[in-house]
Amino acid sequence: MTFYQIWVRSFKDGNGDGIGDLYGVYEKLDYIKSLGIDGIWLCPVYPSPNADYGYDISDYKNIHPDFGDLAQFRKVLDRVHELGMKLIMDLVVNHTSDEHPWFLESRKGKDNPYSDYYIWRDKPNNWDSLFEGKAWEYDEVRGQYYLHIFSKKQPDLNMDNPKVREEVKSIMRFWLDMGVDGFREDVINFISKKEGLPDGLPFIPAVNGMFAYKDGPHIHEYLAEFREVCNEYDCIQIGEGPMTTVKTALMYMTGKTKSLDMMFSFDHMMADCLYTEYIQRPFSLRKLKRAFSKWQYALNGRAWNTLYLENHDHPRIINRYGSVYFRRESGTMLAAAYIFQQGTVFIYQGQEIGMTNIRLRDIDDYMDISSKTNFSKYHINDPLDERMKRIYKSSRDSSRTPMQWSGLRYAGFSTARPWFKVNPNYHEVNVAAEENDPDSILNFYRKCVWLKKHCKTLVYGSYREFYPKSHRIYMYERVYNDSRWLIICSFSRLPAEVKLPPEYEGRARRLVLCNYRGSDPYDMHLRPYEARVYKFR
Ligand code: NOJ
């Protein structure tokens, strides 16, 4: 199964106000289907003040007026189903917006029915928030501090309160009754906090509380309750698990504590950074391969991986692990590098046409809260142009620029000026241009998705990596009964000679997919960022 992830605000504007919406999503469902997609993950579409663009929800059972209404949502859902696809929603229940009626009530006082919906304290602990200063904010009205792991406008819910869990289940039922097929669950490993909220390690800035708010003591109980709801509807639950290790992920996905079908892990997103893309280091292919293989080996036969390289939280992958100078070559190579591993593939809007990071002149041109706070928190003594370079490399906004549909005005995203700047490379990088080019990144993605869907070995086969120490080549096999595939990806901007593993040497082979024309299957000199997908006899 292959998923396509939509961040609605920047996907397609259907009503001409410059903001992507559910009318635009509806228009583009046939395009999504044409990629070979089986399921759609819709980022939050609920009413939200947009402090964190939809991840601060003020009404869980409605649609943001910018995006349409419940009737339009239903239309989208029905059409998705007609096209034989599934649709999953984002379930964001670690926190709400501070404008959610529960919070407005909760802050009124301790004898309020919503008083314990959030985490209130007279004295804060030492945790930093991931987005904005300290993790506690003093509320004048209530005369206490509330916890916010993310921004001040995202107070954490108190999941220890059974009433809050009932609310979550009611939200799940609301959407499941409407017919959605499951949930992507935001920072789900954060929802149970360690009793007493102990101080975190002071020398790890930003994540110092992580060990106290990640994988808390009641997490499996709470998730079991949510699982029961999902079981009634036979739907899928995919949990986002920041900083999840393989061992803990297996706890969520297997055995008695199994509550999630899959998890989004982050190890492979740190081959060029630490915790956040803002703390940069040079890209290391070996780190990337180590992360890939660790998860492939550990989950094989036990659980199922999610495979992704981009989403709305990371800058574009070509800038990070490929090269903008070899945009087509590295964009296609990266597709082959991850899609043929074992797991369910996720493709993020624009990734399939090789969209790249946007370079904005001024920090005020950026919209994302974490970009802005990273800018003012780290490396503040560096020269301004250095700091702007960091933002260019790291900002989440690069994945949130309007989708580039054509070379027309505003990249065909909207007829009005879009809510956010369009990447000026849209004349060259756009869906229409790539549709017409058989060698485009878009058409390569189509081939990869098709191949993955139609080849059992690439779905169920075992995984083995070769030459893990190579700084240039990522090579792995997939084997199922007698069927044997080898995927070879060059991460080098220079030509590279590859040696086949001894058991493959001299064997008959078919080069099923390659991102260059005219490659001789028996000549193992690879061109820059070449990717080859072989079937061996
Ligand atoms: C993870 C989401 O993917 C991200 O966009 C959001 O900012 C945080 N969780 C907080 O909800």
Side-chain angles (χ1 to χ4, degrees):
M1 182 156 185
T2 302
F3 273 88
Y4 190 81
Q5 184 197 346
I6 303 181
W7 199 77
V8 178
R9 181 162 287 269
S10 286
F11 185 59
K12 175 75 177 108
D13 174 16
N15 66 356
D17 62 359
I19 298 174
D21 50 36
L22 291 173
Y23 310 102
V25 171
Y26 186 85
E27 269 177 46
K28 293 296 179 188
L29 290 176
D30 288 306
Y31 164 77
I32 295 175
K33 181 70 188 173
S34 82
L35 302 173
I37 296 300
D38 310 288
I40 291 175
W41 154 20
L42 212 54
C43 281
V45 283
Y46 320 99
S48 157
N50 284 332
D52 186 19
Y53 284 99
Y55 286 89
D56 49 322
I57 297 169
S58 53
D59 180 357
Y60 284 93
K61 297 181 181 171
N62 217 330
I63 297 293
H64 197 302
D66 283 349
F67 297 155
D69 53 19
L70 283 168
Q72 182 60 23
F73 176 80
R74 195 175 279 282
K75 221 175 133 186
V76 168
L77 182 61
D78 289 347
R79 182 73 186 138
V80 166
H81 287 159
E82 262 168 41
L83 289 169
M85 297 187 287
K86 306 274 187 203
L87 187 135
I88 64 170
M89 303 286 281
D90 225 303
L91 185 71
V92 187
V93 292
N94 176 67
H95 44 268
T96 68
S97 161
D98 65 342
E99 296 178 36
H100 193 291
W102 300 337
F103 189 76
L104 299 179
E105 286 299 314
S106 191
R107 61 193 293 236
K108 283 185 186 159
K110 293 186 187 157
D111 41 9
N112 187 282
Y114 293 89
S115 163
D116 292 334
Y117 266 46
Y118 296 86
I119 302 172
W120 296 97
R121 288 284 180 278
D122 292 327
K123 258 184 71 186
N125 64 15
N126 74 345
W127 297 355
D128 286 315
S129 102
L130 293 178
F131 277 1
E132 214 180 7
K134 287 285 163 198
W136 296 90
E137 184 68 9
Y138 187 71
D139 184 72
E140 295 285 348
V141 182
R142 170 133 171 175
Q144 280 190 306
Y145 293 86
Y146 65 86
L147 178 69
H148 62 91
I149 304 279
F150 294 92
S151 82
K152 286 178 194 152
K153 287 191 65 64
Q154 292 166 292
D156 280 52
L157 279 165
N158 173 16
M159 206 55 75
D160 295 334
N161 179 348
K163 284 194 206 148
V164 172
R165 302 202 296 279
E166 286 311 312
E167 299 278 11
V168 173
K169 289 184 251 178
S170 151
I171 295 163
M172 293 172 85
R173 285 211 168 83
F174 178 85
W175 294 103
L176 290 167
D177 284 337
M178 199 171 290
V180 309
D181 302 290
F183 301 100
R184 173 270 185 187
E185 301 181 351
D186 192 65
V187 292
I188 202 65
N189 54 340
F190 288 11
I191 63 168
S192 159
K193 275 93 179 164
K194 214 180 212 171
E195 257 139 61
L197 310 178
D199 274 353
L201 303 170
F203 47 85
I204 315 183
V207 293
N208 61 6
M210 183 72 90
F211 298 101
Y213 59 72
K214 188 171 76 89
D215 312 313
H218 302 290
I219 186 84
H220 295 297
E221 279 161 54
Y222 301 162
L223 288 183
E225 288 184 30
F226 303 160
R227 181 84 204 174
E228 260 177 47
V229 176
C230 278
N231 287 344
E232 287 169 32
Y233 294 82
D234 187 24
C235 74
I236 194 171
Q237 284 180 287
I238 310 174
E240 185 204 24
M243 308 297 155
T244 288
T245 61
V246 161
K247 204 168 146 208
T248 25
L250 284 170
M251 299 275 287
Y252 286 95
M253 294 188 286
T254 61
K256 279 201 199 108
T257 49
K258 176 182 161 92
S259 53
L260 299 173
D261 298 293
M262 289 186 270
M263 282 193 95
F264 285 113
S265 61
F266 283 67
D267 288 350
H268 69 289
M269 298 311 283
M270 290 197 272
D272 63 351
C273 66
L274 195 66
Y275 299 130
T276 147
E277 277 88 358
Y278 201 71
I279 306 180
Q280 290 153 9
R281 49 189 181 187
F283 169 63
S284 156
L285 175 60
R286 285 170 60 169
K287 277 203 180 78
L288 177 67
K289 296 193 296 183
R290 241 192 335 265
F292 277 156
S293 293
K294 181 165 78 180
W295 285 82
Q296 287 291 306
Y297 291 131
L299 267 54
N300 185 32
R302 297 194 189 121
W304 199 244
N305 268 295
T306 57
L307 306 173
Y308 75 95
L309 288 180
E310 282 191 8
N311 62 35
H312 63 292
D313 287 336
H314 303 281
R316 295 288 182 177
I317 204 65
I318 290 179
N319 292 75
R320 300 181 61 189
Y321 297 175
S323 157
V324 283
Y325 303 104
F326 290 96
R327 195 183 63 83
R328 195 200 68 80
E329 294 79 2
S330 65
T332 45
M333 180 281 292
L334 286 162
Y338 90 105
I339 288 180
F340 299 117
Q341 294 178 31
Q342 190 184 73
T344 294
V345 175
F346 287 77
I347 299 170
Y348 177 67
Q349 67 189 42
Q351 179 188 340
E352 79 277 19
I353 55 168
M355 281 176 64
T356 56
N357 288 355
I358 190 166
R359 197 185 286 277
L360 298 172
R361 248 177 253 268
D362 198 283
I363 188 64
D364 292 334
D365 294 333
Y366 286 87
M367 311 291 268
D368 168 39
I369 177 160
S370 74
S371 305
K372 286 178 187 289
T373 45
N374 283 339
F375 186 81
S376 55
K377 189 158 80 189
Y378 301 110
H379 308 284
I380 44 175
N381 296 323
D382 286 0
L384 188 63
D385 58 333
E386 286 296 318
R387 295 171 68 200
M388 287 308 293
K389 256 190 225 157
R390 267 174 208 280
I391 282 290
Y392 163 67
K393 282 193 177 173
S394 66
S395 175
R396 304 198 295 181
D397 278 335
S398 276
S399 54
R400 300 173 179 192
T401 60
M403 175 77 181
Q404 295 163 206
W405 293 103
S406 71
L408 299 174
R409 197 159 188 226
Y410 305 135
F413 163 76
S414 173
T415 48
R417 178 186 291 278
W419 74 279
F420 191 44
K421 293 215 167 55
V422 177
N423 193 318
N425 69 8
Y426 73 90
H427 298 285
E428 180 201 343
V429 182
N430 66 67
V431 174
E434 298 210 8
E435 286 284 7
N436 294 329
D437 172 5
D439 297 327
S440 64
I441 302 182
L442 175 62
N443 283 317
F444 193 81
Y445 264 91
R446 284 201 172 103
K447 287 179 199 154
C448 290
V449 170
W450 190 92
L451 196 55
K452 175 100 183 202
K453 189 186 295 221
H454 291 91
C455 174
K456 266 196 178 156
T457 307
L458 296 175
V459 177
Y460 302 110
S462 62
Y463 166 98
R464 179 159 60 130
E465 187 196 341
F466 297 101
Y467 308 121
K469 297 218 166 95
S470 168
H471 292 282
R472 290 178 167 193
I473 302 294
Y474 175 41
M475 188 189 299
Y476 62 96
E477 69 170 14
R478 303 293 311 277
V479 177
Y480 187 69
N481 298 333
D482 295 337
S483 162
R484 204 168 258 281
W485 290 67
L486 195 67
I487 292 89
I488 305 177
C489 298
S490 169
F491 278 73
S492 173
R493 54 178 69 208
L494 299 172
E497 190 180 355
V498 172
K499 224 178 118 38
L500 285 179
E503 60 266 49
Y504 283 91
E505 205 70 74
R507 285 172 73 155
R509 66 199 74 159
R510 190 154 65 87
L511 184 53
V512 179
L513 189 63
C514 181
N515 59 350
Y516 277 92
R517 283 186 180 235
S519 290
D520 175 350
Y522 288 86
D523 177 355
M524 300 312 289
H525 290 87
L526 266 55
R527 288 173 274 184
Y529 293 104
E530 185 164 344
R532 295 185 180 188
V533 181
Y534 281 108
K535 187 172 185 334
F536 275 79
R537 302 249 159 70

